[in-house]
PDB file of all heavy atoms in Angstrom:
ATOM      1  N   LEU N 577      -6.479 -35.728 -12.841  1.00  0.00           N
ATOM      2  CA  LEU N 577      -6.239 -36.511 -14.062  1.00  0.00           C
ATOM      3  C   LEU N 577      -5.635 -37.875 -13.729  1.00  0.00           C
ATOM      4  O   LEU N 577      -5.900 -38.868 -14.441  1.00  0.00           O
ATOM      5  CB  LEU N 577      -5.340 -35.728 -15.009  1.00  0.00           C
ATOM      6  CG  LEU N 577      -5.971 -34.484 -15.633  1.00  0.00           C
ATOM      7  CD1 LEU N 577      -4.977 -33.763 -16.540  1.00  0.00           C
ATOM      8  CD2 LEU N 577      -7.242 -34.825 -16.399  1.00  0.00           C
ATOM      9  N   ASP N 578      -4.833 -37.959 -12.669  1.00  0.00           N
ATOM     10  CA  ASP N 578      -4.325 -39.266 -12.252  1.00  0.00           C
ATOM     11  C   ASP N 578      -5.478 -40.176 -11.831  1.00  0.00           C
ATOM     12  O   ASP N 578      -5.512 -41.367 -12.189  1.00  0.00           O
ATOM     13  CB  ASP N 578      -3.342 -39.110 -11.096  1.00  0.00           C
ATOM     14  CG  ASP N 578      -1.992 -38.558 -11.545  1.00  0.00           C
ATOM     15  OD1 ASP N 578      -1.712 -38.589 -12.768  1.00  0.00           O
ATOM     16  OD2 ASP N 578      -1.228 -38.079 -10.679  1.00  0.00           O
ATOM     17  N   VAL N 579      -6.420 -39.629 -11.049  1.00  0.00           N
ATOM     18  CA  VAL N 579      -7.589 -40.410 -10.625  1.00  0.00           C
ATOM     19  C   VAL N 579      -8.439 -40.791 -11.837  1.00  0.00           C
ATOM     20  O   VAL N 579      -8.893 -41.933 -11.975  1.00  0.00           O
ATOM     21  CB  VAL N 579      -8.425 -39.629  -9.600  1.00  0.00           C
ATOM     22  CG1 VAL N 579      -9.726 -40.366  -9.288  1.00  0.00           C
ATOM     23  CG2 VAL N 579      -7.636 -39.393  -8.330  1.00  0.00           C
ATOM     24  N   ALA N 580      -8.639 -39.815 -12.726  1.00  0.00           N
ATOM     25  CA  ALA N 580      -9.442 -40.076 -13.918  1.00  0.00           C
ATOM     26  C   ALA N 580      -8.817 -41.184 -14.761  1.00  0.00           C
ATOM     27  O   ALA N 580      -9.527 -42.046 -15.322  1.00  0.00           O
ATOM     28  CB  ALA N 580      -9.608 -38.808 -14.738  1.00  0.00           C
ATOM     29  N   GLY N 581      -7.488 -41.169 -14.867  1.00  0.00           N
ATOM     30  CA  GLY N 581      -6.831 -42.209 -15.649  1.00  0.00           C
ATOM     31  C   GLY N 581      -7.104 -43.589 -15.095  1.00  0.00           C
ATOM     32  O   GLY N 581      -7.316 -44.553 -15.855  1.00  0.00           O
ATOM     33  N   ILE N 582      -7.121 -43.697 -13.765  1.00  0.00           N
ATOM     34  CA  ILE N 582      -7.411 -44.980 -13.132  1.00  0.00           C
ATOM     35  C   ILE N 582      -8.857 -45.392 -13.375  1.00  0.00           C
ATOM     36  O   ILE N 582      -9.155 -46.529 -13.764  1.00  0.00           O
ATOM     37  CB  ILE N 582      -7.100 -44.900 -11.633  1.00  0.00           C
ATOM     38  CG1 ILE N 582      -5.596 -44.697 -11.416  1.00  0.00           C
ATOM     39  CG2 ILE N 582      -7.598 -46.131 -10.903  1.00  0.00           C
ATOM     40  CD1 ILE N 582      -5.217 -44.375  -9.997  1.00  0.00           C
ATOM     41  N   LEU N 583      -9.786 -44.466 -13.151  1.00  0.00           N
ATOM     42  CA  LEU N 583     -11.203 -44.782 -13.317  1.00  0.00           C
ATOM     43  C   LEU N 583     -11.540 -45.127 -14.765  1.00  0.00           C
ATOM     44  O   LEU N 583     -12.379 -46.000 -15.033  1.00  0.00           O
ATOM     45  CB  LEU N 583     -12.061 -43.610 -12.850  1.00  0.00           C
ATOM     46  CG  LEU N 583     -12.045 -43.295 -11.350  1.00  0.00           C
ATOM     47  CD1 LEU N 583     -12.862 -42.031 -11.071  1.00  0.00           C
ATOM     48  CD2 LEU N 583     -12.576 -44.463 -10.535  1.00  0.00           C
ATOM     49  N   LEU N 584     -10.903 -44.427 -15.695  1.00  0.00           N
ATOM     50  CA  LEU N 584     -11.239 -44.600 -17.110  1.00  0.00           C
ATOM     51  C   LEU N 584     -10.293 -45.565 -17.816  1.00  0.00           C
ATOM     52  O   LEU N 584     -10.437 -45.793 -19.031  1.00  0.00           O
ATOM     53  CB  LEU N 584     -11.188 -43.236 -17.808  1.00  0.00           C
ATOM     54  CG  LEU N 584     -12.138 -42.161 -17.258  1.00  0.00           C
ATOM     55  CD1 LEU N 584     -11.843 -40.826 -17.905  1.00  0.00           C
ATOM     56  CD2 LEU N 584     -13.586 -42.564 -17.464  1.00  0.00           C
ATOM     57  N   GLN N 585      -9.333 -46.101 -17.040  1.00  0.00           N
ATOM     58  CA  GLN N 585      -8.365 -47.030 -17.605  1.00  0.00           C
ATOM     59  C   GLN N 585      -7.683 -46.414 -18.838  1.00  0.00           C
ATOM     60  O   GLN N 585      -7.604 -47.023 -19.911  1.00  0.00           O
ATOM     61  CB  GLN N 585      -9.036 -48.370 -17.947  1.00  0.00           C
ATOM     62  CG  GLN N 585      -9.604 -49.060 -16.737  1.00  0.00           C
ATOM     63  CD  GLN N 585     -10.217 -50.417 -17.044  1.00  0.00           C
ATOM     64  OE1 GLN N 585     -10.185 -50.890 -18.189  1.00  0.00           O
ATOM     65  NE2 GLN N 585     -10.762 -51.061 -16.027  1.00  0.00           N
ATOM     66  N   SER N 586      -7.242 -45.179 -18.639  1.00  0.00           N
ATOM     67  CA  SER N 586      -6.564 -44.432 -19.694  1.00  0.00           C
ATOM     68  C   SER N 586      -5.296 -43.823 -19.126  1.00  0.00           C
ATOM     69  O   SER N 586      -5.133 -43.693 -17.902  1.00  0.00           O
ATOM     70  CB  SER N 586      -7.468 -43.312 -20.240  1.00  0.00           C
ATOM     71  OG  SER N 586      -8.673 -43.820 -20.754  1.00  0.00           O
ATOM     72  N   GLU N 587      -4.401 -43.446 -19.997  1.00  0.00           N
ATOM     73  CA  GLU N 587      -3.219 -42.722 -19.569  1.00  0.00           C
ATOM     74  C   GLU N 587      -3.630 -41.298 -19.189  1.00  0.00           C
ATOM     75  O   GLU N 587      -4.350 -40.636 -19.936  1.00  0.00           O
ATOM     76  CB  GLU N 587      -2.187 -42.675 -20.689  1.00  0.00           C
ATOM     77  CG  GLU N 587      -1.597 -44.023 -21.057  1.00  0.00           C
ATOM     78  CD  GLU N 587      -0.763 -44.607 -19.915  1.00  0.00           C
ATOM     79  OE1 GLU N 587      -0.154 -43.808 -19.165  1.00  0.00           O
ATOM     80  OE2 GLU N 587      -0.736 -45.842 -19.784  1.00  0.00           O
ATOM     81  N   SER N 588      -3.191 -40.839 -18.037  1.00  0.00           N
ATOM     82  CA  SER N 588      -3.586 -39.496 -17.598  1.00  0.00           C
ATOM     83  C   SER N 588      -3.111 -38.435 -18.578  1.00  0.00           C
ATOM     84  O   SER N 588      -3.748 -37.386 -18.732  1.00  0.00           O
ATOM     85  CB  SER N 588      -3.040 -39.219 -16.196  1.00  0.00           C
ATOM     86  OG  SER N 588      -1.621 -39.304 -16.188  1.00  0.00           O
TER      87      SER N 588
END
Side-chain angles (χ1 to χ4, degrees):
L577 291 179
D578 286 344
V579 173
I582 294 170
L583 293 175
L584 300 172
Q585 298 183 2
S586 301
E587 294 294 328
S588 60

